[in-house]
Amino acid sequence: MYHFKAITVLIVSIFISLTIGLLTGFSINGNEILVYQQKNTIEQLEKALNKLKELDEKRAKEEIELIKKQKEDYVFLEENLGEIFKDKLLNKKIIVLALEKSDGEKFAEFLKKTGAEIVILNINEMVNLPLDSDFIIFFREKGSDDALTHNVLSSLEKYKGNNISIVVAQDFPITKKDERFFKEKKIEYVDEVDNVIKKYKLILMLFKK
């Protein structure tokens, strides 16, 4: 990555120094060779600056094209998720726990396209969860209370003995603190799950188990 502003500042300062030197040298002895050398140096620096501008503009255009292509790919993946993962989780039972049932419903929309049986509950309904489940996904929204999350996950640990996998899915980036906690509890997670790539990651994680 070019630090263009920093380079520009540096080159401008060199221009100023050379210009001062050029004028000073010329006024002292009128040395035409000195003037020619300094003029030539400035021209070279101008060419370098213009080249940097061209590179920066080229990079900006490439980044715009890359972002455009990425968005197109995301749209394709989102639109075709149902076809790609059709019946991939057939006969799998997934319990989705969320603070509010409506949040769980919204989150689980893409999982329903996999053929899995989805049961959506709020955290107040997590007593005596079905033991024939394959997965329990705890969905966290941004702003979720860490202490509540830790309490919920600690309460779910007893289900691991029934070969039920516990997974955390959240719509925001993982913190180092949570990452350490999940690792300690041996709980898998997928963050930023509103991104289609992360949706694919979660489905593949469930499929492989």
mmCIF file of all heavy atoms in Angstrom, residues 2-31:
data_model
loop_
_atom_site.group_PDB
_atom_site.id
_atom_site.type_symbol
_atom_site.label_atom_id
_atom_site.label_comp_id
_atom_site.label_asym_id
_atom_site.label_seq_id
_atom_site.Cartn_x
_atom_site.Cartn_y
_atom_site.Cartn_z
ATOM 1 N N TYR A 2 0.559 2.203 -0.860
ATOM 2 C CA TYR A 2 1.329 3.426 -0.913
ATOM 3 C C TYR A 2 0.803 4.397 0.131
ATOM 4 O O TYR A 2 -0.371 4.711 0.161
ATOM 5 C CB TYR A 2 1.199 4.078 -2.298
ATOM 6 C CG TYR A 2 1.602 3.190 -3.433
ATOM 7 C CD1 TYR A 2 0.640 2.592 -4.248
ATOM 8 C CD2 TYR A 2 2.941 2.919 -3.689
ATOM 9 C CE1 TYR A 2 1.002 1.770 -5.280
ATOM 10 C CE2 TYR A 2 3.295 2.089 -4.724
ATOM 11 C CZ TYR A 2 2.319 1.517 -5.519
ATOM 12 O OH TYR A 2 2.675 0.693 -6.531
ATOM 13 N N HIS A 3 1.712 4.933 0.959
ATOM 14 C CA HIS A 3 1.327 5.986 1.887
ATOM 15 C C HIS A 3 1.459 7.307 1.127
ATOM 16 O O HIS A 3 2.419 8.064 1.303
ATOM 17 C CB HIS A 3 2.214 5.947 3.126
ATOM 18 C CG HIS A 3 2.088 4.649 3.868
ATOM 19 N ND1 HIS A 3 0.989 4.342 4.629
ATOM 20 C CD2 HIS A 3 2.910 3.567 3.928
ATOM 21 C CE1 HIS A 3 1.147 3.140 5.162
ATOM 22 N NE2 HIS A 3 2.306 2.645 4.730
ATOM 23 N N PHE A 4 0.498 7.574 0.267
ATOM 24 C CA PHE A 4 0.620 8.629 -0.735
ATOM 25 C C PHE A 4 0.782 10.002 -0.108
ATOM 26 O O PHE A 4 1.612 10.799 -0.543
ATOM 27 C CB PHE A 4 -0.609 8.603 -1.648
ATOM 28 C CG PHE A 4 -0.482 9.554 -2.819
ATOM 29 C CD1 PHE A 4 0.442 9.287 -3.825
ATOM 30 C CD2 PHE A 4 -1.255 10.694 -2.890
ATOM 31 C CE1 PHE A 4 0.568 10.157 -4.898
ATOM 32 C CE2 PHE A 4 -1.126 11.551 -3.947
ATOM 33 C CZ PHE A 4 -0.218 11.288 -4.966
ATOM 34 N N LYS A 5 0.012 10.296 0.934
ATOM 35 C CA LYS A 5 0.098 11.610 1.556
ATOM 36 C C LYS A 5 1.476 11.847 2.148
ATOM 37 O O LYS A 5 2.048 12.928 2.014
ATOM 38 C CB LYS A 5 -0.982 11.762 2.631
ATOM 39 C CG LYS A 5 -2.382 11.885 2.061
ATOM 40 C CD LYS A 5 -3.401 12.141 3.157
ATOM 41 C CE LYS A 5 -4.794 12.304 2.561
ATOM 42 N NZ LYS A 5 -5.820 12.525 3.614
ATOM 43 N N ALA A 6 2.007 10.808 2.811
ATOM 44 C CA ALA A 6 3.323 10.932 3.428
ATOM 45 C C ALA A 6 4.397 11.142 2.370
ATOM 46 O O ALA A 6 5.298 11.971 2.530
ATOM 47 C CB ALA A 6 3.628 9.686 4.251
ATOM 48 N N ILE A 7 4.301 10.386 1.257
ATOM 49 C CA ILE A 7 5.282 10.512 0.182
ATOM 50 C C ILE A 7 5.181 11.887 -0.469
ATOM 51 O O ILE A 7 6.178 12.526 -0.783
ATOM 52 C CB ILE A 7 5.071 9.393 -0.869
ATOM 53 C CG1 ILE A 7 5.397 8.036 -0.243
ATOM 54 C CG2 ILE A 7 5.950 9.624 -2.093
ATOM 55 C CD1 ILE A 7 5.028 6.851 -1.100
ATOM 56 N N THR A 8 3.938 12.357 -0.651
ATOM 57 C CA THR A 8 3.738 13.674 -1.260
ATOM 58 C C THR A 8 4.352 14.768 -0.399
ATOM 59 O O THR A 8 5.029 15.670 -0.899
ATOM 60 C CB THR A 8 2.229 13.948 -1.443
ATOM 61 O OG1 THR A 8 1.666 12.911 -2.242
ATOM 62 C CG2 THR A 8 2.011 15.284 -2.130
ATOM 63 N N VAL A 9 4.132 14.698 0.903
ATOM 64 C CA VAL A 9 4.705 15.679 1.823
ATOM 65 C C VAL A 9 6.218 15.671 1.728
ATOM 66 O O VAL A 9 6.869 16.716 1.679
ATOM 67 C CB VAL A 9 4.258 15.406 3.285
ATOM 68 C CG1 VAL A 9 5.062 16.259 4.260
ATOM 69 C CG2 VAL A 9 2.771 15.674 3.438
ATOM 70 N N LEU A 10 6.805 14.466 1.681
ATOM 71 C CA LEU A 10 8.254 14.341 1.589
ATOM 72 C C LEU A 10 8.777 14.960 0.301
ATOM 73 O O LEU A 10 9.760 15.717 0.308
ATOM 74 C CB LEU A 10 8.645 12.858 1.648
ATOM 75 C CG LEU A 10 10.139 12.537 1.462
ATOM 76 C CD1 LEU A 10 10.965 13.175 2.561
ATOM 77 C CD2 LEU A 10 10.351 11.026 1.430
ATOM 78 N N ILE A 11 8.112 14.644 -0.815
ATOM 79 C CA ILE A 11 8.572 15.156 -2.111
ATOM 80 C C ILE A 11 8.431 16.670 -2.191
ATOM 81 O O ILE A 11 9.316 17.365 -2.692
ATOM 82 C CB ILE A 11 7.812 14.470 -3.268
ATOM 83 C CG1 ILE A 11 8.252 13.002 -3.360
ATOM 84 C CG2 ILE A 11 8.078 15.169 -4.589
ATOM 85 C CD1 ILE A 11 7.521 12.196 -4.399
ATOM 86 N N VAL A 12 7.340 17.198 -1.664
ATOM 87 C CA VAL A 12 7.150 18.657 -1.661
ATOM 88 C C VAL A 12 8.246 19.340 -0.863
ATOM 89 O O VAL A 12 8.792 20.363 -1.260
ATOM 90 C CB VAL A 12 5.758 19.034 -1.089
ATOM 91 C CG1 VAL A 12 5.685 20.527 -0.815
ATOM 92 C CG2 VAL A 12 4.665 18.624 -2.067
ATOM 93 N N SER A 13 8.606 18.744 0.292
ATOM 94 C CA SER A 13 9.687 19.321 1.106
ATOM 95 C C SER A 13 11.006 19.289 0.356
ATOM 96 O O SER A 13 11.815 20.217 0.444
ATOM 97 C CB SER A 13 9.808 18.580 2.442
ATOM 98 O OG SER A 13 10.260 17.259 2.241
ATOM 99 N N ILE A 14 11.243 18.218 -0.430
ATOM 100 C CA ILE A 14 12.462 18.129 -1.244
ATOM 101 C C ILE A 14 12.434 19.198 -2.332
ATOM 102 O O ILE A 14 13.441 19.854 -2.620
ATOM 103 C CB ILE A 14 12.608 16.722 -1.864
ATOM 104 C CG1 ILE A 14 12.854 15.692 -0.760
ATOM 105 C CG2 ILE A 14 13.759 16.678 -2.881
ATOM 106 C CD1 ILE A 14 12.792 14.249 -1.231
ATOM 107 N N PHE A 15 11.252 19.389 -2.956
ATOM 108 C CA PHE A 15 11.109 20.435 -3.962
ATOM 109 C C PHE A 15 11.509 21.800 -3.401
ATOM 110 O O PHE A 15 12.246 22.560 -4.006
ATOM 111 C CB PHE A 15 9.652 20.529 -4.441
ATOM 112 C CG PHE A 15 9.307 19.534 -5.530
ATOM 113 C CD1 PHE A 15 8.016 19.083 -5.670
ATOM 114 C CD2 PHE A 15 10.276 19.071 -6.404
ATOM 115 C CE1 PHE A 15 7.690 18.175 -6.668
ATOM 116 C CE2 PHE A 15 9.967 18.163 -7.407
ATOM 117 C CZ PHE A 15 8.666 17.717 -7.528
ATOM 118 N N ILE A 16 10.989 22.075 -2.207
ATOM 119 C CA ILE A 16 11.270 23.380 -1.580
ATOM 120 C C ILE A 16 12.768 23.534 -1.321
ATOM 121 O O ILE A 16 13.368 24.573 -1.617
ATOM 122 C CB ILE A 16 10.468 23.540 -0.275
ATOM 123 C CG1 ILE A 16 8.973 23.606 -0.605
ATOM 124 C CG2 ILE A 16 10.906 24.786 0.491
ATOM 125 C CD1 ILE A 16 8.073 23.508 0.603
ATOM 126 N N SER A 17 13.384 22.497 -0.763
ATOM 127 C CA SER A 17 14.825 22.537 -0.470
ATOM 128 C C SER A 17 15.631 22.755 -1.743
ATOM 129 O O SER A 17 16.573 23.559 -1.774
ATOM 130 C CB SER A 17 15.269 21.238 0.194
ATOM 131 O OG SER A 17 14.601 21.066 1.425
ATOM 132 N N LEU A 18 15.269 22.023 -2.803
ATOM 133 C CA LEU A 18 16.005 22.145 -4.057
ATOM 134 C C LEU A 18 15.808 23.516 -4.691
ATOM 135 O O LEU A 18 16.735 24.089 -5.265
ATOM 136 C CB LEU A 18 15.556 21.046 -5.032
ATOM 137 C CG LEU A 18 16.109 19.647 -4.743
ATOM 138 C CD1 LEU A 18 15.398 18.618 -5.607
ATOM 139 C CD2 LEU A 18 17.600 19.590 -4.988
ATOM 140 N N THR A 19 14.597 24.025 -4.581
ATOM 141 C CA THR A 19 14.313 25.348 -5.141
ATOM 142 C C THR A 19 15.128 26.423 -4.429
ATOM 143 O O THR A 19 15.716 27.310 -5.057
ATOM 144 C CB THR A 19 12.810 25.678 -5.015
ATOM 145 O OG1 THR A 19 12.067 24.662 -5.681
ATOM 146 C CG2 THR A 19 12.501 27.026 -5.650
ATOM 147 N N ILE A 20 15.190 26.323 -3.087
ATOM 148 C CA ILE A 20 15.998 27.266 -2.306
ATOM 149 C C ILE A 20 17.462 27.145 -2.712
ATOM 150 O O ILE A 20 18.158 28.139 -2.936
ATOM 151 C CB ILE A 20 15.834 27.018 -0.791
ATOM 152 C CG1 ILE A 20 14.413 27.387 -0.363
ATOM 153 C CG2 ILE A 20 16.867 27.806 0.009
ATOM 154 C CD1 ILE A 20 14.075 26.967 1.045
ATOM 155 N N GLY A 21 17.938 25.901 -2.810
ATOM 156 C CA GLY A 21 19.327 25.671 -3.213
ATOM 157 C C GLY A 21 19.605 26.196 -4.602
ATOM 158 O O GLY A 21 20.655 26.788 -4.863
ATOM 159 N N LEU A 22 18.650 25.992 -5.501
ATOM 160 C CA LEU A 22 18.811 26.456 -6.883
ATOM 161 C C LEU A 22 18.930 27.972 -6.932
ATOM 162 O O LEU A 22 19.859 28.524 -7.550
ATOM 163 C CB LEU A 22 17.603 25.988 -7.708
ATOM 164 C CG LEU A 22 17.611 26.244 -9.223
ATOM 165 C CD1 LEU A 22 16.762 25.176 -9.908
ATOM 166 C CD2 LEU A 22 17.060 27.626 -9.567
ATOM 167 N N LEU A 23 18.014 28.650 -6.266
ATOM 168 C CA LEU A 23 18.028 30.117 -6.275
ATOM 169 C C LEU A 23 19.268 30.670 -5.594
ATOM 170 O O LEU A 23 19.867 31.634 -6.051
ATOM 171 C CB LEU A 23 16.754 30.646 -5.595
ATOM 172 C CG LEU A 23 15.443 30.374 -6.335
ATOM 173 C CD1 LEU A 23 14.260 30.801 -5.472
ATOM 174 C CD2 LEU A 23 15.405 31.079 -7.683
ATOM 175 N N THR A 24 19.633 30.010 -4.460
ATOM 176 C CA THR A 24 20.825 30.454 -3.729
ATOM 177 C C THR A 24 22.074 30.271 -4.584
ATOM 178 O O THR A 24 22.898 31.174 -4.719
ATOM 179 C CB THR A 24 20.975 29.664 -2.414
ATOM 180 O OG1 THR A 24 19.799 29.827 -1.634
ATOM 181 C CG2 THR A 24 22.174 30.157 -1.614
ATOM 182 N N GLY A 25 22.230 29.089 -5.180
ATOM 183 C CA GLY A 25 23.394 28.801 -6.020
ATOM 184 C C GLY A 25 23.480 29.731 -7.209
ATOM 185 O O GLY A 25 24.558 30.193 -7.578
ATOM 186 N N PHE A 26 22.334 30.011 -7.802
ATOM 187 C CA PHE A 26 22.309 30.868 -8.981
ATOM 188 C C PHE A 26 22.664 32.307 -8.619
ATOM 189 O O PHE A 26 23.408 32.990 -9.320
ATOM 190 C CB PHE A 26 20.931 30.822 -9.636
ATOM 191 C CG PHE A 26 20.840 31.652 -10.885
ATOM 192 C CD1 PHE A 26 21.440 31.211 -12.062
ATOM 193 C CD2 PHE A 26 20.174 32.870 -10.891
ATOM 194 C CE1 PHE A 26 21.368 31.973 -13.228
ATOM 195 C CE2 PHE A 26 20.104 33.622 -12.048
ATOM 196 C CZ PHE A 26 20.691 33.180 -13.229
ATOM 197 N N SER A 27 22.135 32.792 -7.478
ATOM 198 C CA SER A 27 22.374 34.180 -7.072
ATOM 199 C C SER A 27 23.805 34.396 -6.627
ATOM 200 O O SER A 27 24.348 35.480 -6.748
ATOM 201 C CB SER A 27 21.421 34.565 -5.934
ATOM 202 O OG SER A 27 21.660 33.762 -4.795
ATOM 203 N N ILE A 28 24.457 33.312 -6.085
ATOM 204 C CA ILE A 28 25.839 33.457 -5.609
ATOM 205 C C ILE A 28 26.820 33.520 -6.769
ATOM 206 O O ILE A 28 27.644 34.419 -6.857
ATOM 207 C CB ILE A 28 26.215 32.289 -4.665
ATOM 208 C CG1 ILE A 28 25.436 32.425 -3.343
ATOM 209 C CG2 ILE A 28 27.734 32.269 -4.391
ATOM 210 C CD1 ILE A 28 25.592 31.260 -2.409
ATOM 211 N N ASN A 29 26.743 32.549 -7.709
ATOM 212 C CA ASN A 29 27.765 32.524 -8.752
ATOM 213 C C ASN A 29 27.220 32.307 -10.157
ATOM 214 O O ASN A 29 27.993 32.252 -11.107
ATOM 215 C CB ASN A 29 28.818 31.451 -8.435
ATOM 216 C CG ASN A 29 28.178 30.076 -8.252
ATOM 217 O OD1 ASN A 29 27.104 29.829 -8.765
ATOM 218 N ND2 ASN A 29 28.872 29.192 -7.529
ATOM 219 N N GLY A 30 25.917 32.183 -10.282
ATOM 220 C CA GLY A 30 25.335 32.040 -11.619
ATOM 221 C C GLY A 30 25.831 30.815 -12.355
ATOM 222 O O GLY A 30 25.926 30.822 -13.572
ATOM 223 N N ASN A 31 26.237 29.770 -11.609
ATOM 224 C CA ASN A 31 26.765 28.550 -12.199
ATOM 225 C C ASN A 31 25.684 27.844 -12.998
ATOM 226 O O ASN A 31 24.737 27.288 -12.449
ATOM 227 C CB ASN A 31 27.299 27.645 -11.093
ATOM 228 C CG ASN A 31 28.097 26.477 -11.646
ATOM 229 O OD1 ASN A 31 27.774 25.940 -12.691
ATOM 230 N ND2 ASN A 31 29.149 26.121 -10.929
#
